[in-house]
Amino acid sequence: MGKISIVGLGPGDISLISQGALDILKSSSRIYLRTEKHPTVDKLKENITYTNLDYFYENEDNFENVYREIAEFIIEKSNEGDLVYAVPGHPRVAERTVSQIEEIAKIKNIEVEVIASMSFVDAMFNYLAIDPADGFKLVDAFEIENSYIDTNTSMIITQVYDQFIASNVKLRLMECYDYDQEVCIVNGAGVKTLESKKYVPLHELDRGDNLFNYLTSVYIPKSSKKMYNTVHDLEEIMSELRGPNGCDWDKKQNHETLKKYIIEEAYELCQAIDNDNIDEIIEELGDILLQVIFHCQIGKETGFFDLSEVVNGICNKLIYRHPHVFKNIEVDMNNFDKTWEDLKKKEKGESTVTEGLSRIPNHLPALIKAEKIQKKAALVGFDWDDISNVYKKIEEEYKELLDECKEGNIKYIKEELGDLLFSIVNLARFLKVDPEESLNLTNNKFIKRFKFIEDSAINLDKNLEDMTLEEMDKLWEKAKLQ
């Protein structure tokens, strides 16, 4: 196994390569360049012989695959002896191949040495006359879709090679910034003969074909306008509300006093979804998120938990309960409910079905809870084979209710009525109908029909209280026809 020496070529000007990097390049006979599309190479080729790896880019469309293949290639070549691998800029700044080479080399006990030169980031800040001490974030244009965008700090986006990439970057940034946010397109930072910069509003970022090349980066200064678009922003606001100078109402809340609000907000979200109103859905989701952050802030103050623990818990749970997605374990999707329940039981350390039934919250609406109980029991085979048996059970419970009503025993009437309702929920389950939703449809239907009766009475100059049941029933029939 040979030693791998990884050197940085600096941002582009030959004067910005470190002496250590130059010395090792001049003394080595086995040099591989990730790319020769770098201004420094024209000067270096006078004194060194190298092999460029640009052909990897021609064979792959996906950059992740390119980086991985280059890393594996360098590792393989180290089997033949010592080599030098050269990359633009600083080897540890936005160089994915370097980290991948080091990871593989560690496993295979291959010696790796990194010789630094100035990074293009240093050259960028020097050219733009900006002090990086105020903070900044470095983002690869090919990863911006999944990157956290903090508008309260400056940002450099690398690898904006062409107009198409610039358009993708613009669309992602416009989710977080105002359309007229000032950005700077920087070309050739650190190369005196190539350096150029152009300040444009964000919405014009992708205009102009000749603005972009392999030396293009985009600088976005800290937004002058406070933008709220991350959960972290909400955390900070809640911390302020609960702080010494915060709101007296917010400061006195605890987990117990907030319970009712999460239930209310959940139902308001359901209403917004039923209304198919996107603006309402956004608002109600925000209200639910507020409740989550509220509880997390209280947990943080009391020292029991915080948002990071909540997020970690749900992420681990989702990964554990989806082994077919995250662990390539084959799962019968036709029987996924049973698999899900088995995983939950194992996760909770439960050995009996009853433990799972007892875990169903008492605060759930009775219809929803009844359906959940029946589903869990059905998963272990405690269920009717045919829907005809469900109908018979409803008839049986109805007759038992009538018998108790004749006796006038309120205790048993309540019990038999519950049995009848439970049987009807079972029917809804067999019919694949949500009993809660079904009953709410009837509730809404009743309100509409009753409104027709009331409006009709007003048109007849009558009060409902003065009308007979027969008169109202006739109007009810008319309402049904409508």
Side-chain angles (χ1 to χ4, degrees), residues 163-328:
Q163 193 173 14
F164 177 75
I165 297 171
S167 293
N168 288 337
V169 168
K170 181 187 79 171
L171 292 173
R172 175 69 179 98
L173 294 179
M174 287 185 74
E175 296 174 8
C176 306
Y177 295 90
D178 283 341
Y179 79 103
D180 58 353
Q181 164 74 32
E182 185 180 65
V183 301
C184 185
I185 303 170
V186 182
N187 275 306
V191 188
K192 298 299 182 184
T193 57
L194 299 176
E195 281 181 328
S196 69
K197 58 187 175 185
K198 182 178 182 180
Y199 287 91
V200 297
L202 177 58
H203 66 92
E204 294 182 5
L205 174 60
D206 56 348
R207 297 184 185 176
D209 294 340
N210 55 354
L211 290 176
F212 308 99
N213 56 56
Y214 66 95
L215 293 177
T216 304
S217 296
V218 175
Y219 172 75
I220 303 99
K222 175 181 176 180
S223 175
S224 58
K225 179 182 177 181
K226 176 65 178 176
M227 304 289 287
Y228 302 107
N229 47 41
T230 70
V231 173
H232 179 65
D233 294 327
L234 184 54
E235 277 189 289
E236 288 188 333
I237 291 171
M238 181 50 63
S239 179
E240 185 82 13
L241 289 172
R242 297 269 300 178
N245 300 316
C247 169
D248 290 339
W249 185 88
D250 289 291
K251 286 191 284 186
K252 70 181 182 182
Q253 300 309 310
N254 56 47
H255 295 307
E256 188 67 29
T257 62
L258 290 173
K259 278 195 312 185
K260 63 179 181 180
Y261 297 110
I262 190 71
I263 295 172
E264 289 175 8
E265 301 300 355
Y267 278 116
E268 287 178 12
L269 172 62
C270 291
Q271 184 67 52
I273 293 172
D274 288 342
N275 293 341
D276 195 22
N277 187 315
I278 297 300
D279 290 334
E280 281 185 15
I281 291 173
I282 293 171
E283 181 180 349
E284 299 306 336
L285 282 171
D287 290 342
I288 289 176
L289 181 58
L290 168 61
Q291 294 303 311
V292 174
I293 298 301
F294 211 145
H295 283 281
C296 288
Q297 178 63 29
I298 294 170
K300 185 177 181 179
E301 292 166 3
T302 54
F304 289 111
F305 67 93
D306 59 15
L307 179 62
S308 63
E309 290 180 69
V310 172
V311 172
N312 181 64
I314 187 60
C315 287
N316 284 327
K317 181 191 291 186
L318 287 173
I319 292 169
Y320 173 74
R321 294 187 186 176
H322 293 83
H324 55 298
V325 177
F326 298 102
K327 295 182 179 179
N328 294 321

